[in-house]
Amino acid sequence: MRARALADARRLVRGARRIVGFTGAGISTESGIPDFRSPDGVWATNRTVTFQEFLASEAGRIEYWRQKVAAWPAMRKATPNAGHAAFVELHRQGRLGTLVTQNIDGLHQRAGLPADQVLELHGTTREAACLRCDDRISADEAARRVAAGELSPRCRDCGGFLKPATISFGQSLTPEVVTAAFEAARRCDLLLAVGSSLVVEPAASIPRAARLAGAGLVIVNREATPLDGMATVVVRGEIGEVLPDIVDSRSSDREVPEGGVEPERTA
Ligand code: APR
């Protein structure tokens, strides 16, 4: 089944001219950054601090910063992997329109995608921003200040709360980013969704919008997702193993072994 799904995904990607990439934390695990909902993911060891709690409680802000500063070294030293490189290859072929990511690690840009082609739905952990005046400091500086005892750093300009420039549960996403992501999804001829459990909204509605607008939808993920049923093709596997093969315009369609099974298609 996997060989047939791979061959079908390759064929869809090769035939597409305006591809939108959509990624989740699963594309960065092979760079050493844990995802959220796998057994060893972030939520297995950290409780969620909502935006409301961050605003209302000093203890909440201290816990949120503790979690972020603990995760920063792995983020900071992470380098892009074969999955990120596969999207750069699509860009090199001139067929990747927009890359919509839920990830905050900046690895798509570090892999070589132009920053203006990457939509970071959930912000970036590479900076901290003041919630009052939007003054920004680097994540390195924020981590230094927390390590030096400023457990819930304040803005040095206006005294407002400093917070990593990521979107927390309960916090509004940036409207322009969300609008651009849905517009790109509705204009593409193929959406390639990689490494996401597709359970968080509004992000998970972006691949859905592409499919409902008539685009093909290829999902590459280790586990099943709620959108598998509407996908054109689902490729179950490790991203670093399968994605380079799917986007390689030179790769021929390997013979599907006799008795190859039709990919999981919708009606
Ligand atoms: N290859 C293939 N799939 C993988 C790999 C891998 N190397 N590593 C992880 N996965 C899969 C997991 O099986 C899981 O289904 O990637 C998916 C990651 O899902 P989540 O951990 O839920 O991450 P994501 O979908 O990005 O979460 C969305 O939720 O917690 C919030 O804001 C956070 O942006 C995040 C959002």
Side-chain angles (χ1 to χ4, degrees):
M1 187 190 297
R2 175 110 132 228
R4 182 58 189 267
L6 263 175
D8 282 278
R10 259 200 302 272
R11 208 168 295 126
L12 276 169
V13 168
R14 193 178 306 131
R17 289 292 161 267
R18 289 184 324 285
I19 299 171
V20 162
F22 179 92
T23 61
I27 199 169
S28 295
T29 55
E30 292 170 52
S31 295
I33 299 173
D35 67 12
F36 293 92
R37 293 172 181 82
S38 289
D40 56 349
V42 169
W43 299 140
T45 51
N46 288 302
R47 74 173 180 83
T48 305
V49 177
T50 64
F51 188 53
Q52 287 67 24
E53 182 184 358
F54 184 92
L55 295 176
S57 136
E58 181 68 2
R61 288 189 287 277
I62 290 172
E63 171 56 15
Y64 187 84
W65 272 106
R66 183 197 67 74
Q67 292 179 15
K68 288 292 183 175
V69 169
W72 176 237
M75 287 267 184
R76 189 179 194 285
K77 71 171 187 283
T79 53
N81 63 55
H84 300 101
F87 280 108
V88 176
E89 171 59 17
L90 282 178
H91 170 66
R92 191 194 60 75
Q93 295 170 15
R95 297 187 298 121
L96 182 71
T98 299
L99 189 288
V100 179
T101 188
Q102 299 169 94
N103 298 343
I104 58 176
D105 55 35
L107 289 183
H108 285 297
Q109 297 91 317
R110 288 180 58 200
L113 286 187
D116 64 0
Q117 202 171 331
V118 179
L119 293 174
E120 293 177 309
L121 288 174
H122 296 164
T124 176
T125 199
R126 296 194 167 274
E127 293 180 318
C130 173
L131 295 181
R132 185 185 294 163
C133 72
D134 200 38
D135 185 50
R136 303 220 161 192
I137 63 172
S138 73
D140 278 335
E141 183 185 340
R144 272 194 300 275
R145 287 171 57 178
V146 172
E150 198 179 345
L151 301 184
S152 160
R154 294 292 186 109
C155 173
R156 294 234 164 107
D157 284 358
C158 75
F161 296 144
L162 277 178
K163 178 180 175 294
T166 56
I167 304 292
S168 300
F169 285 110
Q171 188 172 2
S172 303
L173 281 71
T174 305
E176 299 79 19
V177 174
V178 176
T179 301
F182 275 97
E183 281 175 357
R186 293 190 180 107
R187 281 198 311 268
C188 73
D189 55 7
L190 180 72
L191 190 137
L192 183 50
V194 175
S196 178
S197 57
L198 296 174
V199 296
V200 169
E201 294 295 353
S205 291
I206 291 164
R208 189 179 291 114
R211 190 79 181 100
L212 294 177
L217 173 59
V218 172
I219 296 176
V220 178
N221 203 52
R222 183 186 289 159
E223 293 166 355
T225 80
L227 271 63
D228 288 358
M230 73 183 317
T232 317
V233 178
V234 174
V235 179
R236 189 77 63 242
E238 294 302 299
I239 292 160
E241 282 172 31
V242 299
L243 196 59
D245 200 16
I246 290 171
V247 307
D248 182 351
S249 57
R250 298 176 316 251
S251 60
S252 61
D253 282 350
R254 282 179 190 56
E255 278 313 303
V256 177
E258 275 312 303
V261 179
E262 277 298 313
E264 297 160 57
R265 282 181 186 281
T266 48

